[in-house]
Amino acid sequence: DQQVKQNSPSLSVQEGRISILNCDYTNSMFDYFLWYKKYPAEGPTFLISISSIKDKNEDGRFTVFLNKSAKHLSLHIVPSQPGDSAVYFCAARGTSGTYKYIFGTGTRLKVLA
Amino acid sequence: DGGITQSPKYLFRKEGQNVTLSCEQNLNHDAMYWYRQDPGQGLRLIYYSQIVNDFQKGDIAEGYSVSREKKESFPLTVTSAQKNPTAFYLCASQGLAQPQHFGDGTRLSIL
């Protein structure tokens, strides 16, 4: 039973345009969400996070939106750059205080020059 | 320069052998984790440890074992009981109110 789902395994976007990566979750007790970026043969690196008390968090070109009623979050990258080409994982944490994250299956983003 | 070091980067194992993957961190993080990644799948949690001398099973602990004798170290042993050990293994650590930081992984292959 996949509690965190990324239904699009891949996405291609032209350089300079917006990339939108989506993530759905099933557990309403999740209170903290993160996005990680992963290049081949490397470990994931933290990108941006959002607490369940917010609906938006922005950091430079990256913005994460959270829709709690829909149990949906999305990552927007504007403008997209070729160096953004990687696999993006969303992750969710259970009730506050737990150290355990649950990861989605990832979306491979390809930014075309 | 703080970080997480996983070694080796590539590891080969003969069937029936146990093998140990190393993970060391100098970030002074209390919590450490082991994940497994297979093609087309997300990161699946094998074991995690919130404090020295304590650890808990994750979602796919069968065929694996861990120890946490030191804060800095969280080695993972892949035993012969693990029927499909070929995968990319990732170690992570986490401090209080911080996101998880990952090492660069170990790719294990069966000869």
Side-chain angles (χ1 to χ4, degrees), chain A residues 17-97:
Chain A
R17 305 295 290 269
I18 184 171
S19 295
I20 300 176
L21 295 96
N22 294 305
C23 181
D24 296 297
Y25 61 96
T26 58
N27 191 337
S28 58
M29 298 303 290
F30 289 151
D31 68 348
Y32 185 59
F33 303 88
L34 309 91
W35 284 95
Y36 282 84
K37 175 180 179 180
K38 184 183 181 300
Y39 293 115
E42 293 183 9
T45 54
F46 170 71
L47 200 54
I48 192 169
S49 64
I50 188 167
S51 164
S52 60
I53 62 173
K54 294 186 174 182
D55 55 16
K56 177 182 174 181
N57 188 27
E58 193 171 354
D59 184 3
R61 296 186 297 115
F62 302 92
T63 303
V64 56
F65 294 92
L66 176 62
N67 182 334
K68 288 188 290 294
S69 61
K71 296 191 183 69
H72 177 83
L73 67 155
S74 61
L75 174 68
H76 293 208
I77 306 173
V78 182
S80 301
Q81 299 174 353
D84 296 330
S85 297
V87 176
Y88 290 78
F89 291 97
C90 65
R93 187 186 70 186
T95 52
S96 182

Side-chain angles (χ1 to χ4, degrees), chain B residues 9-28:
Chain B
K9 196 166 182 67
Y10 299 95
L11 190 56
F12 300 91
R13 190 193 90 172
K14 292 182 181 179
E15 285 197 41
Q17 282 184 339
N18 293 353
V19 64
T20 298
L21 283 61
S22 170
C23 179
E24 304 278 332
Q25 56 101 358
N26 60 4
L27 299 166
N28 200 34

Side-chain angles (χ1 to χ4, degrees), chain A residues 36 38 41 43 99 101 103-104, chain B residues 9 31 33 37 42 94 100 103-104:
Chain A
Y36 282 84
K38 184 183 181 300
Y99 283 76
Y101 290 178
F103 283 81
Chain B
K9 196 166 182 67
Y33 306 77
Q37 187 188 12
Q94 183 182 356
Q100 290 183 9
D104 280 340

